[in-house]
Amino acid sequence: MSIRKKIIISNLLVLFVPLVLLLSMGFLWLQTAGQKYWQPIEEMYEDKNGVISAQNLIYAYQEELWNTNWRELENIDEEVMSGGELRQSPEMIRLRKELTDLGYHFMITLNDETLYANVSEAEWSQVEKLIGPIPEQANSVTVGNEEVSVIRCSFYEDNEECSIIAISNGEGNVLGSKSYLQKYVIPYIWIFGICTILISVLVNACCSRWISSLIIPPMKEIRRGMQKVKSGVLDNEIPVLRQDELGEVCEEFNEMQRQLKRSKEEQTKYETYRKELISGISHDLRTPLTTIKGYVGGILDGIADTEEKQKKYLLAVQTRTGDLENLVNQLSSYNKMENHMFRYEMEQTDLKEFVREYLEENEEFIRENKLDFLLSAEEGVKLAIDRSAFKRILDNLLTNSVRYREKDRSHIEITIQKRTDRIFWSVADDGPGVAENCLEKIFESFCRLDEARTHCSEGSGLGLAIVKRIVADHGGTIYARDRMGLEICMEFPGNKENQD
């Protein structure tokens, strides 16, 4: 069953269930305790010979009695009067017809002068037997028995008196045996009740259609959106038609769709990264293993037939084994950092003093690899760092400078500056540099610009990826610039926690 039908049925139930219960309770009440209350009401409104109905008609047409041109009627000749014709307005004609239908004949007088009468002598005789002559001083008289009823009503205006006397002998009463309550009141109650129900049903239909127009379109849009998501389409957002609860649902659906799209993109990116990672690890393991296998085979096959050759082969095996060990250590460290398992020992450090101590500790490495340094650092720039992790940053950057240089000597410049609320730290060399479109890629794991990757000694491909991870874990950002060589720039927040 559709939502629209459910809304209509629920609204009808809200209307008719209380109504049926109310009618049932009323019926039971009338059949039991209510009977003693209802019967007196019917007796009070019992309309014998239509007296109550006739009184109501006379009072209802009181205005028309005065609006009749009685002066014109005074000039009517005897023949017209004897014929019982009454030249009146349509309202007075309806009064005569309705009184006649109730079994009444009547007479109209103006200042005791008879203007119209259709009462027979026999009816006057019955009245005289019942009450005698009608008192002239009586303004209103209502007398009756089972055979005859008499009604007199007088109206006054500008010292003139207009009276109407209505007489019924019980014949031709259209009410029959029904009371006034049964004839007029109850039918009107039924008409009022039926009209109320019809209006309620109409209002219910309009309200149901209005509510459906608020609910159905957003639901259809959500359904279409779900079907598209099911088919893999995540770019088509559903329109938010209203700013209400359903509008919030549509907005949440769009947000879910955007989240799914981001998740799918991240999953695709992760799959690509995983494949490249596996490919890189496989290649970097295969190259030294192949070398080791070749040298060991040469020793076993007797190719290294002298002690000098055997020593040379063993040294080569030792070098390649060191490369493998270095690769495994790099992978282990990178994995811990990526999974946030690496624990940093943070301490407030003067960066200029830290770099000086590092250069002194690695003086032999610097001399052997012919490195010239220029340290341009401001005094008193401090940062909370893990000293061993930052030594690894410098190790990796200097190793890359030596590994990829094209000259015998290298010039390296280290810059440390305090910039407003940031700390800037850069390491630049005078090597061959990197193409502009590759500057962002160099921080990816196993990314080396030599796609052939034929020399394991050129690195594991994790150095700059580890550097980026360390910088990020310290709340900083890293990027590269090509300025007559490669410059690695790092920026850290210079908040109060990082100052004295």
Side-chain angles (χ1 to χ4, degrees):
M1 183 181 295
S2 64
I3 294 179
R4 180 176 297 173
K5 291 182 180 179
K6 290 180 180 178
I7 293 174
I8 294 174
I9 292 175
S10 63
N11 289 340
L12 290 176
L13 289 176
V14 169
L15 173 66
F16 284 108
V17 170
L19 181 62
V20 171
L21 292 176
L22 184 62
L23 292 176
S24 301
M25 293 173 63
F27 178 77
L28 292 175
W29 180 77
L30 288 177
Q31 296 300 318
T32 55
Q35 187 65 33
K36 62 181 180 180
Y37 298 103
W38 181 257
Q39 188 172 358
I41 294 175
E42 281 194 323
E43 291 177 355
M44 181 175 64
Y45 282 95
E46 186 177 2
D47 195 9
K48 292 183 178 179
N49 294 330
V51 172
I52 297 176
S53 300
Q55 284 180 322
N56 290 334
L57 283 172
I58 291 171
Y59 278 102
Y61 284 93
Q62 175 183 349
E63 188 68 26
E64 281 73 11
L65 288 173
W66 282 110
N67 291 335
T68 302
N69 190 353
W70 301 112
R71 299 301 178 186
E72 182 180 344
L73 293 177
E74 291 178 356
N75 299 325
I76 299 175
D77 56 38
E78 295 295 333
E79 183 179 355
V80 174
M81 289 293 296
S82 62
E85 296 182 4
L86 185 62
R87 290 187 296 172
Q88 293 177 297
S89 64
E91 290 79 7
M92 291 305 298
I93 295 174
R94 283 198 298 271
L95 173 63
R96 180 176 60 178
K97 180 178 183 305
E98 291 183 19
L99 286 176
T100 302
D101 290 341
L102 289 172
Y104 281 86
H105 295 150
F106 63 96
M107 179 178 67
I108 298 177
T109 63
L110 180 63
N111 297 326
D112 296 330
E113 180 183 354
T114 301
L115 300 179
Y116 175 80
N118 62 358
V119 182
S120 65
E121 293 294 333
E123 290 172 332
W124 280 117
S125 298
Q126 289 178 326
V127 172
E128 290 177 356
K129 288 180 182 180
L130 177 63
I131 60 172
I134 300 175
E136 295 181 359
Q137 67 272 20
N139 294 332
S140 296
V141 175
T142 302
V143 182
N145 57 18
E146 295 182 356
E147 296 180 356
V148 64
S149 298
V150 180
I151 301 172
R152 175 178 177 171
C153 295
S154 299
F155 311 103
Y156 297 90
E157 185 177 331
D158 298 333
N159 296 323
E160 290 186 326
E161 177 188 9
C162 179
S163 300
I164 178 169
I165 301 173
I167 302 172
S168 172
N169 57 7
E171 297 178 358
N173 185 0
V174 296
L175 291 175
S177 60
K178 294 182 179 179
S179 67
Y180 181 81
L181 184 68
Q182 294 172 330
K183 180 64 179 177
Y184 292 105
V185 178
I186 293 179
Y188 277 107
I189 292 176
W190 276 106
I191 293 173
F192 177 78
I194 293 172
C195 291
T196 301
I197 293 174
L198 291 176
I199 293 173
S200 300
V201 171
L202 180 61
V203 172
N204 168 73
C206 294
C207 291
S208 299
R209 185 177 181 86
W210 176 62
I211 294 174
S212 299
S213 67
L214 298 180
I215 297 177
I216 302 301
M219 295 297 291
K220 289 183 177 179
E221 291 294 338
I222 293 174
R223 182 183 179 185
R224 282 195 287 267
M226 293 179 68
Q227 290 174 345
K228 290 182 180 179
V229 170
K230 183 180 178 181
S231 62
V233 179
L234 300 175
D235 296 324
N236 193 1
E237 295 188 358
I238 62 176
V240 180
L241 302 177
R242 304 187 63 83
Q243 299 300 323
D244 52 15
E245 288 80 0
L246 280 173
E248 293 176 359
V249 172
C250 294
E251 186 61 40
E252 290 296 328
F253 181 86
N254 288 335
E255 181 60 30
M256 179 197 71
Q257 191 171 225
R258 289 191 288 268
Q259 184 65 30
L260 286 174
K261 184 180 178 180
R262 288 193 294 267
S263 178
K264 187 176 181 180
E265 290 174 351
E266 290 177 0
Q267 184 178 4
T268 303
K269 184 178 179 181
Y270 172 76
E271 287 296 324
T272 303
Y273 166 77
R274 186 180 62 85
K275 291 177 182 179
E276 292 177 353
L277 182 65
I278 293 174
S279 176
I281 293 174
S282 300
H283 186 279
D284 286 351
L285 288 175
R286 186 184 302 111
T287 302
L289 286 174
T290 302
T291 304
I292 293 172
K293 182 179 178 181
Y295 282 117
V296 172
I299 295 173
L300 294 176
D301 293 340
I303 297 177
D305 52 359
T306 64
E307 182 177 347
E308 184 179 355
K309 285 186 178 181
Q310 290 178 356
K311 184 178 180 180
K312 181 180 178 181
Y313 278 29
L314 290 174
L315 287 174
V317 170
Q318 184 181 28
T319 301
R320 298 298 179 249
T321 305
D323 292 339
L324 284 176
E325 183 181 11
N326 178 61
L327 176 61
V328 172
N329 290 336
Q330 295 275 45
L331 283 171
S332 178
S333 299
Y334 184 71
N335 180 65
K336 289 180 180 180
M337 292 177 182
E338 282 292 309
N339 292 283
H340 304 286
M341 297 170 60
F342 191 88
R343 300 188 62 179
Y344 294 98
E345 299 294 334
M346 310 295 287
E347 57 180 295
Q348 201 75 3
T349 304
D350 186 298
L351 297 183
K352 184 175 182 179
E353 292 299 322
F354 171 78
V355 174
R356 283 178 176 174
E357 292 176 4
Y358 175 83
L359 295 178
E360 290 176 359
E361 292 174 1
N362 293 271
E363 185 176 356
E364 185 176 351
F365 173 83
I366 295 172
R367 185 175 58 255
E368 290 179 356
N369 290 280
K370 299 178 181 180
L371 299 177
D372 297 326
F373 280 90
L374 174 61
L375 177 58
S376 176
E378 296 180 1
E379 298 288 343
V381 180
K382 293 185 178 183
L383 183 67
I385 64 173
D386 182 298
R387 296 177 68 90
S388 62
F390 269 63
K391 286 181 180 180
R392 174 174 285 185
I393 289 178
L394 292 175
D395 287 342
N396 290 344
L397 295 181
L398 296 182
T399 301
N400 282 346
S401 296
V402 173
R403 180 177 295 127
Y404 297 110
R405 69 185 179 184
E406 298 176 347
K407 299 180 294 184
D408 291 337
R409 301 190 67 88
S410 296
H411 179 76
I412 297 175
E413 182 177 355
I414 299 178
T415 304
I416 299 174
Q417 295 176 344
K418 181 70 171 65
R419 298 180 176 177
T420 313
D421 59 343
R422 306 287 290 177
I423 295 175
F424 177 79
W425 187 356
S426 71
V427 178
D429 62 26
D430 58 351
V434 176
E436 189 73 24
N437 61 340
C438 297
L439 289 175
E440 294 183 3
K441 296 180 181 179
I442 62 175
F443 296 104
E444 298 176 3
S445 56
F446 292 101
C447 177
R448 286 173 297 182
L449 302 183
D450 179 11
E451 296 182 358
R453 302 172 63 95
T454 55
H455 303 291
C456 180
S457 60
E458 291 186 357
S460 64
L462 290 172
L464 290 180
I466 292 175
V467 170
K468 181 179 180 181
R469 183 72 264 172
I470 294 173
V471 172
D473 290 343
H474 283 73
T477 57
I478 188 170
Y479 56 93
R481 297 187 295 195
D482 186 65
R483 293 185 174 180
M484 305 300 291
L486 181 63
E487 181 182 14
I488 302 298
C489 302
M490 298 168 283
E491 293 188 13
F492 302 92
N495 50 37
K496 292 183 179 180
E497 296 179 357
N498 293 328
Q499 303 301 316
D500 289 328

